[in-house]
Every structure is written in C-alpha cells, then in structure tokens.
Amino acid sequence: MSTEATASGGDPAALAREYLGFSRWWLVVVAALAMGVVSPYQYVWSSIEGPLARDLGIPLPQLGLVFTLFVVFQAGSQFPVGWWRDGHGPRVLTGVAAVLAGGSYVGLAYATTVPQLYVLYSLGAVGVGIVYTVAVNTALKWFPDRRGLTTGVGTMAFAGGAALFVPYVRANAAVAAYGNVLRNMGILIALVVLLAAVVLRDPPEGWNEAVADGGREEAEAEPEDADRTGGTATDGDRRRDYTWRETLRTWQFWLMYAMFVAVSGAGLMVTAKVISFAEAMGLSANVATLSATALPIAAGVGRLVMGDLSDRVDRRWTMAVSFVLCGIGVAGVVLGAQAGSTPLFVGSVVVAVFFWSPQYTLFPSLVGEYYGSSHSSSNYALLYSGKMWGGVFGGAVAGWLVTLTDWPTAFGVGAVLAVAAGLAAFGLRPPARRPEAPGGRRAAASSED
C-alpha cells in the first residue's frame, strides 16, 4: 500500500479509490454482470432441456443426469478455484471461465449425443463455478464494511439474471431455431465474462492491515462507538486470516457446514420439486406455473434484502431468523397444498425461497468475518461444497422419501432441517482472535496452504 493510501485512516472506500482510480462499486457491478450471464446454466436448464431432447430424438428423462452433473462440478470446482485465486488473483481464472462457460453453450448447438451434453455442461459448470467464486469473493475482499449487501448484489444477479434470458429462450423454443439461441447466448456469456477478466482484481498486499489498523485507531479515538457495528464488520477485520487448513480445524466451520447442507436441502427441494408437488396434490397447472415463476424473483430479492440487513444487525441473528422462517414457509407449502389454498401455497413458496436463498449471502459474509479475507475464496469454497449434499437431499433423497412415505412428509422433513439450521446459528461464536506479537502489533497470519 502507498503512503497516501495508508493515510486514508482505514476507510475501505477511500483506500480502494486510491488504488483502483475509480469506485470499488464498479467491481461489484462487473462481477454481478458476469454472475447474471452464467445464470442460465442453473435457472434456464428447465427451459432448454425439452428442445434439446427433441433435437436429439430422445426421451426427456435421459437428460436428468445433466443437471446433477452441473451441481456437482459447479460446487465441487470451487475449492481448487478459490485456492488458486487467493494466491494468483482472479484475472487468468476468469478468462478461463469465459472460454468454458461461453464455449460450452456454443457447443450445445452442435451436440449430437447425450454424452456430449454431459461433457459440455460439466465443463460449463466449472466455468460457472469460477465466476461464482470470483464474484462473491470480490465483494468479500473489497467490502469489509458492506459484506452482506455486496455479496447480495452478486448472488441476486445469479438468481435473477436468468429472468432476462427466459423470454428469449421460450420465444425460440422450436428445434429449428434453437442452434442460434444457444450460440448467441454462448457468445454473450463469453464476452461479458471476458470483460470481467479485464476489470476485476484483488486488493494489493497490505490492504487488510491498512483497513484493520485504521478501524482500530478510529475505535480507540471514539470508544463510545466501538460496538456500533454489532460485531459484524470491523470486528471481522481485526481477526487473523485463516488458511483453509486452519479453518477446517475450527468447530465453527463444521457447524456452519452442517447448517449449509441442511438449509440447502430444504431450499433445493422446494425449487426442484414445487411443480411436481403441486401436481401431485391436485393443484391446478396455473398454481404450479405461478409458483415456479415467483421462485427466482423471491430468491434474488431475498439475497439482497437479508444481506443488507445482516450488515446492520448481528449476522447470526439474521441467519437464525431467516432459516427458521424458511422452515415455516416450507411447512406452509404443505398446509396450503393440503387445504387446496392457492394464496397460502404460492405465498408460502415465496416465503420459503425468500428466506432460504440468503444463505448464499450470509454464509460467505460470515466466513469472511470469522476467517478473514486473505483466504476467503478457498475458505468459502470449502463451505459451498455442502451444496452438493444439499442437492442430493433436494433431489434423490427427497424423491426416495416421497416413494417411501408421501409428499407432505418429505416436505415436512425439509421444514425441520431449515428450522434446525436456524436454531444452530445461535451457537456460532467467532474463532479466537489473532495473538498479539511483541510491541503490541498483531502477529502476521500464516500464508501457508
């Protein structure tokens, strides 16, 4: 850091502007754009799988494994991606993501066999995983004072960006036009992610220390305001930076991991099976369609609103309330279906998804707060791998429960998992603070991985 930057009193916005030459918010905007253009892999698949199956002349169920592979590769790729990014920055990785995510969508237009779809969608999933890791951790690294809001912006774009693609995809659902649709989307994905590769960067060496030191000096000068953040922003930056190995040795990580799996399972079950559940319970096709349409909107808004709220109050309380309300929403879905009440059913779907989706904002924010930002990419990637197990519950396990019992019981288990995750949040505590070295300075965190 330059002398001028250090003289900025630890203000993250001022330090960032001095280093970048422009507002740090532009990094969030570009990261959100990249998240938005790769979102079709997850949220538009249900719209393109039918035309792809018709184009290949195969039954639709044969493509069921494609989305499973996407979840596995998107979530599973994030740890090696995050580890590399923490050591080498985001630019090269993001350039690779442009080729993988954009090129794979273009490749879908020329695929002639199911195995080709498996390979292309899996490669594209790795590209999506790179973009997701880079975007979320851009917010964590540059915004220690607004982690919840800025991660909310990026993850909202990932949830809601697909809504801009759906009309285009649906309007060109004929097999004859589908090659152009896939090629055009692939080119757009590649161009926007390449833009992100050019613009995005990580803070310089010494950034965390400059921000933390300035925050501590300010707190010492104004002791009466020392606790005004509710233990969320500045506290996190006075803690040591944990490597991924050190993070794995803390009980807090494993409690958060269990919570992540539980609430992921509940939320992914609703998103994957709400239409099937509505049909099985005798609700009309319009109710099912309305519920499915409301899902990405509620998911996007929930991430932004609850993320911003978590910057203003204790993040653990925000997490606890959010997940408990998610569980109540899932239970409401069951009651609405059993009562045949459209308002209760659709409203409960909105509540469940609105309060489930903030996990993708709250968890990365808490990881940055507890374990520091220097290794936030690899640390959050470890936690995010829990999405794979949540996906297994939301898909295969939920389906097994339905065949073993019935739909209300399966959704009831999801409700219990979400409430349990919320109650577990009250047990979270920050890991130990960084030890003080001689002279009153904090000991340097290990950079070993």
Side-chain angles (χ1 to χ4, degrees):
M1 295 292 290
S2 67
T3 303
E4 292 82 1
T6 305
S8 297
D11 176 14
L15 288 169
R17 183 177 290 276
E18 290 173 3
Y19 175 70
L20 294 169
F22 54 85
S23 172
R24 58 184 175 155
W25 282 98
W26 284 111
L27 300 176
V28 174
V29 170
V30 172
L33 287 174
M35 289 278 266
V37 296
V38 300
S39 64
Y41 273 93
Q42 178 162 326
Y43 292 99
V44 182
W45 170 249
S46 61
S47 296
I48 70 172
E49 63 176 342
L52 284 173
R54 292 196 300 272
D55 188 32
L56 295 175
I58 60 174
L60 186 60
Q62 288 190 24
L63 296 183
L65 182 60
V66 174
F67 191 74
T68 300
L69 289 172
F70 165 78
V71 173
V72 170
F73 278 91
Q74 188 256 340
S77 66
Q78 291 203 34
F79 174 69
V81 167
W83 175 81
W84 174 272
R85 182 258 172 86
D86 282 335
H88 303 279
R91 287 185 164 180
V92 172
L93 277 172
T94 310
V96 172
V99 175
L100 291 175
S104 294
Y105 237 90
V106 172
L108 291 176
Y110 301 97
T112 57
T113 66
V114 174
Q116 288 175 355
L117 291 182
Y118 292 161
V119 172
L120 287 168
Y121 226 76
S122 298
L123 290 173
V126 175
V128 175
I130 293 172
V131 171
Y132 197 101
T133 296
V134 167
V136 167
N137 286 283
T138 292
L140 293 181
K141 290 177 184 293
W142 284 103
F143 287 83
D145 52 333
R146 302 302 299 275
R147 287 192 178 107
L149 175 62
T150 50
T151 55
V153 170
T155 55
M156 179 184 70
F158 187 68
L164 300 177
F165 288 91
V166 170
Y168 175 61
V169 171
R170 300 291 292 178
N172 297 276
V175 171
Y178 226 62
N180 289 333
V181 170
L182 297 171
R183 280 190 294 270
N184 292 341
M185 290 175 65
I187 292 170
L188 178 62
I189 290 169
L191 290 176
V192 174
V193 178
L194 277 176
L195 171 65
V198 172
V199 174
L200 296 180
R201 65 199 73 177
D202 283 346
E205 185 177 355
W207 161 267
N208 295 328
E209 288 78 5
V211 172
D213 288 347
R216 187 175 65 253
E217 290 166 6
E218 182 178 330
E220 290 170 353
E222 302 178 74
E224 66 277 12
D225 294 332
D227 294 327
R228 63 177 178 267
T229 62
T232 57
T234 56
D235 262 1
D237 291 306
R238 293 176 195 157
R239 301 188 187 283
R240 60 174 298 187
D241 287 317
Y242 285 72
T243 66
W244 66 269
R245 287 192 178 92
E246 293 170 332
T247 296
L248 287 176
R249 288 197 288 267
T250 65
W251 64 265
Q252 289 91 340
F253 171 82
W254 293 106
L255 178 56
M256 286 193 287
Y257 195 87
M259 293 166 58
F260 196 99
V261 172
V263 77
S264 291
L268 291 173
M269 179 184 64
V270 173
T271 57
K273 299 188 177 298
V274 65
I275 292 180
S276 300
F277 182 38
E279 293 173 347
M281 297 298 290
L283 299 176
S284 69
N286 289 335
V287 173
T289 300
L290 179 59
S291 300
T293 303
L295 276 172
I297 299 173
V301 176
R303 297 177 193 206
L304 184 64
V305 171
M306 298 304 290
D308 183 44
L309 178 64
S310 74
D311 287 333
R312 305 173 188 276
V313 300
D314 190 307
R315 217 177 303 276
R316 293 175 308 148
W317 279 89
T318 307
M319 187 177 284
V321 171
S322 185
F323 297 163
V324 168
L325 289 176
C326 168
I328 292 173
V330 176
V333 171
V334 175
L335 295 176
Q338 291 176 328
S341 171
T342 296
L344 179 57
F345 184 85
V346 176
S348 296
V349 168
V350 170
V351 169
V353 176
F354 182 95
F355 289 108
W356 154 66
S357 64
Q359 79 168 103
Y360 299 112
T361 297
L362 299 175
F363 278 114
S365 299
L366 201 62
V367 167
E369 185 176 306
Y370 278 12
Y371 301 111
S373 60
S374 293
H375 307 285
S376 60
S377 299
S378 53
N379 287 336
Y380 179 56
L382 286 171
L383 186 64
Y384 190 86
S385 67
K387 181 180 178 180
M388 292 188 292
W389 309 115
V392 169
F393 175 84
V397 174
W400 173 75
L401 284 174
V402 170
T403 59
L404 189 66
T405 56
D406 53 28
W407 280 100
T409 300
F411 269 62
V413 171
V416 171
L417 287 175
V419 171
L423 295 177
F426 291 115
L428 287 172
R429 296 291 184 274
R433 290 179 178 271
R434 182 200 301 266
E436 295 290 334
R441 299 290 296 174
R442 292 191 304 271
S446 170
S447 60
E448 294 181 1
D449 280 326

